[in-house]
């Protein structure tokens, strides 16, 4: 299957590293979003926040949350330290998020420069900072403004079509090289 996948990516002219990066991000962020939705829907946010904040070891606290809300997932600190760390950073944001900050224009200008005046998903040019739309890579209502590097500037099309689905990003990867 792996070889078939690599052949397919080559035939589609998709960069293997780009594909791996997007898959990795999708798996970690997807797990986080699933856990948060579960915590919310079971009305456990206050209790879990208290537990998480009072725990001395956030990695252990993260593992415990995983066991409570995603039993089938076997991620653990010994074998998957980076992933548990990443999840603990996200959960820390989830439990500590504050009310929304305002200065959106300067963030847009900053991202516009960093992204070389291009949409961060499809790469289409964005002529002026204000033509871009500010997107939170992981939903704002889950992590607030706590997470660094969680903002990106997107063109209108990508921002509209992305929604909360990573499938869109895979589809862009597929069509990105079409014009070349
Ligand atoms: Zn775009």
């Amino acid at each position: 299957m792996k070889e078939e996948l690599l052949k397919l990516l080559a035939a589609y002219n998709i960069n293997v590293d780009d594909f791996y990066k997007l898959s990795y991000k999708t798996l970690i962020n997807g797990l986080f979003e699933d856990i948060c939705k579960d915590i919310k829907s079971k009305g456990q946010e206050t209790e879990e926040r208290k537990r998480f904040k009072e725990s001395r070891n956030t990695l252990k606290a993260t593992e415990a949350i995983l066991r409570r809300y995603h039993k089938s997932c076997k991620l653990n600190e010994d074998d998957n330290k980076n992933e548990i760390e990443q999840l603990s950073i996200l959960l820390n944001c989830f439990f500590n998020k504050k009310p929304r900050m305002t200065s959106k224009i300067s963030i847009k200008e900053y991202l516009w420069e960093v992204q070389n005046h291009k949409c961060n998903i499809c790469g289409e040019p964005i002529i002026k900072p204000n033509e871009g739309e500010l997107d939170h890579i992981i939903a704002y209502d889950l992590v607030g403004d706590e997470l660094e590097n969680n903002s990106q500037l997107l063109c209108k099309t990508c921002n509209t079509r992305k929604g909360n689905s990573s499938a869109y990003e895979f589809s862009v990867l597929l069509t990105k090289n079409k014009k070349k």
Side-chain angles (χ1 to χ4, degrees):
M1 189 61 202
K2 194 182 167 193
E3 244 169 65
E4 285 166 17
L5 176 61
L6 290 176
K7 258 174 82 180
L8 191 60
L9 292 177
Y12 279 158
N13 197 19
I14 291 175
N15 180 291
V16 178
D17 281 338
D18 286 349
F19 181 81
Y20 283 159
K21 265 183 222 152
L22 181 56
S23 305
Y24 187 88
K25 185 183 92 172
T26 303
L27 288 173
I28 300 274
N29 293 356
L31 179 61
F32 167 67
E33 287 163 10
D34 184 64
I35 290 169
C36 292
K37 277 174 201 156
D38 222 13
I39 290 176
K40 283 178 162 184
S41 73
K42 288 177 176 152
Q44 295 294 307
E45 200 171 337
T46 310
E47 191 182 323
E48 291 295 353
R49 175 179 293 111
K50 192 166 172 281
R51 272 190 188 163
F52 194 83
K53 284 187 167 179
E54 284 171 359
S55 107
R56 288 192 193 155
N57 182 333
T58 52
L59 297 185
K60 286 272 168 288
T62 300
E63 273 191 342
I65 287 179
L66 254 179
R67 296 292 93 82
R68 281 196 288 280
Y69 294 92
H70 213 106
K71 281 195 196 90
S72 64
C73 178
K74 303 282 188 275
L75 276 185
N76 66 80
E77 204 189 329
D78 294 332
D79 300 325
N80 317 94
K81 194 154 195 287
N82 289 339
E83 292 72 28
I84 294 288
E85 267 171 11
Q86 182 58 25
L87 273 179
S88 78
I89 291 170
L90 294 172
L91 284 170
N92 193 47
C93 295
F94 177 67
F95 291 130
N96 285 297
K97 54 190 184 301
K98 297 178 204 73
R100 189 182 280 261
M101 291 187 289
T102 41
S103 61
K104 286 282 177 277
I105 291 164
S106 59
I107 298 172
K108 275 189 175 183
E109 275 168 8
Y110 168 76
L111 290 170
W112 187 65
E113 289 298 339
V114 170
Q115 294 174 203
N116 293 318
H117 313 169
K118 285 176 190 160
C119 167
N120 206 35
I121 291 183
C122 73
E124 284 294 312
I126 295 172
I127 309 300
K128 287 180 290 185
N130 260 336
E131 276 179 17
E133 300 192 350
L134 192 64
D135 174 58
H136 288 81
I137 297 168
I138 299 181
Y140 179 84
D141 67 319
L142 296 185
V143 292
D145 279 317
E146 302 302 312
L147 191 62
E148 274 181 53
N149 303 320
N150 189 43
S151 299
Q152 58 184 354
L153 203 60
L154 300 181
C155 68
K156 280 200 169 61
T157 312
C158 285
N159 198 38
T160 311
R161 293 185 57 194
K162 180 184 167 246
N164 282 324
S165 157
S166 44
Y168 174 66
E169 288 187 65
F170 280 104
S171 77
V172 170
L173 207 54
L174 177 61
T175 52
K176 222 173 190 174
N177 294 319
K178 227 170 138 182
K179 291 169 205 153
K180 285 181 191 165

